Amino acid sequence: LPVTERATLLSASALGRRFHPDALAAISGLEPLEARERIAALVRRELLGVDDELRSPGRGQLSFLQDVVREVAYRTLSRRERRTLHVAAADHLEALDGSDLVEAAAEHLVAAHAAAPEHSEAPDVARRAVTALRLAAQRAMGLHVPVRALTHLQKAIEFVDDEDVRATLWEDTAVAARAAPRFELAETYLRRLIAHRTARGQGPGAARARAQLASLLLGTEVHAAAIRELEAALEGVADVTSDPANAELSGQLARAKVLVGENQEAVEWADRTRVAALIMKDGMKT
């Protein structure tokens, strides 16, 4: 291939099998007219194809006609070139500010970091990847695809070096794992979260995590373990109105007692929870 067409094809390989012409122009640093000319040349050579179906949701997009061409082109790029192109692609997608593009942006940032993990700007790329992956996970949960959200969050955890941020991700990951449903995995993350918050002296946060764990255990009919967790969390708590997290624990314990047939204790804990809720509600009004 001529040098200019070859360079364009190599850039395109970093965008994946299918991509928009504007993205290729952006990461190649080409003016619109020059980009169209190079793309047209690659289409004539039957290296790229254009989706021209009137009813296609991807109308106007480009794609590699043969996967092997894309693979060979991508492998031809140096690791530094891959990093540069993936970062440029993420920059372009983020500038478009579309919620449906955040997953693609995250994938490019992950690929950029993998291409050059020792690069001086790798920590910045990692932070951007975490942000994009969390947004992608939120979108996946909104679309009721928790398995995809779980994948994004577990990948984000790999990039985090701040313990508190990692703990927040554990909590989000537990929610996604429970919805997946991956109950054992959800339990693992919640127990990590409880240990972390307890060690940091974050009592209310640890209590909320225990309430989540108890809810998970009750939902999977592990009643005895749920009751042990709740009673341990409430041990020494004289007033459940002292914190909303304690009231939540109290409510979960009432539910657990009902499920194992200990109705009298269930009523007692339910009354405590009801009173706590009323007191806290009045406190918010004042």
Side-chain angles (χ1 to χ4, degrees):
L1 290 175
V3 174
T4 55
E5 292 175 27
R6 181 175 183 274
T8 302
L9 191 68
L10 293 179
S11 296
S13 69
L15 293 172
R17 187 179 182 279
R18 191 177 182 89
F19 51 90
H20 197 279
D22 290 348
L24 179 54
I27 69 171
S28 302
L30 300 173
E31 293 297 327
L33 177 59
E34 186 179 11
R36 286 196 295 271
E37 291 175 348
R38 294 193 188 183
I39 290 170
L42 292 170
V43 170
R44 285 195 301 272
R45 294 179 184 275
E46 297 185 347
L47 295 170
L48 297 180
V50 182
D51 185 344
D52 55 5
E53 291 291 330
L54 292 176
R55 297 184 180 180
S56 172
R59 180 174 167 77
Q61 291 187 349
L62 300 170
S63 62
F64 281 86
L65 294 182
Q66 297 183 53
D67 288 339
V68 67
V69 173
R70 190 253 166 183
E71 291 175 11
V72 171
Y74 190 71
R75 291 178 183 178
T76 302
L77 294 168
S78 69
R79 297 179 70 84
R80 181 175 291 273
E81 288 171 328
R82 292 180 191 178
R83 178 200 174 277
T84 299
L85 290 168
H86 283 302
V87 170
D91 290 342
H92 171 71
L93 292 169
E94 289 176 344
L96 296 177
D97 196 27
S99 61
D100 57 330
L101 301 175
V102 67
E103 187 172 19
E107 289 175 356
H108 280 296
L109 290 166
V110 169
H113 190 276
E118 304 303 323
H119 193 279
S120 60
E121 296 180 3
D124 181 59
V125 171
R127 284 189 290 272
R128 288 178 62 188
V130 170
T131 299
L133 286 164
R134 292 180 73 177
L135 290 172
Q138 290 172 13
R139 183 170 185 273
M141 289 297 286
L143 294 173
H144 306 290
V145 192
V147 173
R148 185 179 299 175
L150 180 59
T151 299
H152 294 322
L153 290 166
Q154 287 183 302
K155 176 58 68 174
I157 289 171
E158 297 177 12
F159 287 102
V160 175
D161 54 11
D162 182 277
E163 287 296 324
D164 288 328
V165 175
R166 185 179 290 114
T168 300
L169 286 170
W170 285 341
E171 186 169 15
D172 293 343
T173 306
V175 172
R178 181 172 181 174
R182 297 277 303 280
F183 299 131
E184 290 185 3
L185 187 61
E187 181 179 350
T188 296
Y189 281 114
L190 284 172
R191 291 193 182 280
R192 289 180 188 176
L193 182 62
I194 292 166
H196 169 82
R197 288 180 173 171
T198 301
R200 293 293 182 96
Q202 299 170 354
R208 286 193 298 273
R210 281 186 180 274
Q212 288 177 281
L213 176 59
S215 176
L216 172 68
L217 293 172
L218 291 174
T220 54
E221 300 185 356
V222 188
H223 300 150
I227 290 174
R228 284 197 301 272
E229 290 288 342
L230 290 165
E231 290 179 337
L234 287 166
E235 185 177 355
V237 177
D239 183 9
V240 296
T241 65
S242 59
D243 189 276
N246 291 331
E248 185 176 357
L249 288 168
S250 175
Q252 291 286 2
L253 184 53
R255 176 188 170 206
K257 292 293 185 179
V258 169
L259 292 173
V260 297
E262 298 177 8
N263 295 327
Q264 183 57 44
E265 289 189 47
V267 170
E268 293 172 2
W269 282 106
D271 281 341
R272 293 182 195 178
T273 306
R274 180 180 58 82
V275 171
L278 290 171
I279 292 174
M280 287 185 286
K281 182 181 180 181
D282 290 340
M284 290 175 64
K285 288 181 178 179
T286 57

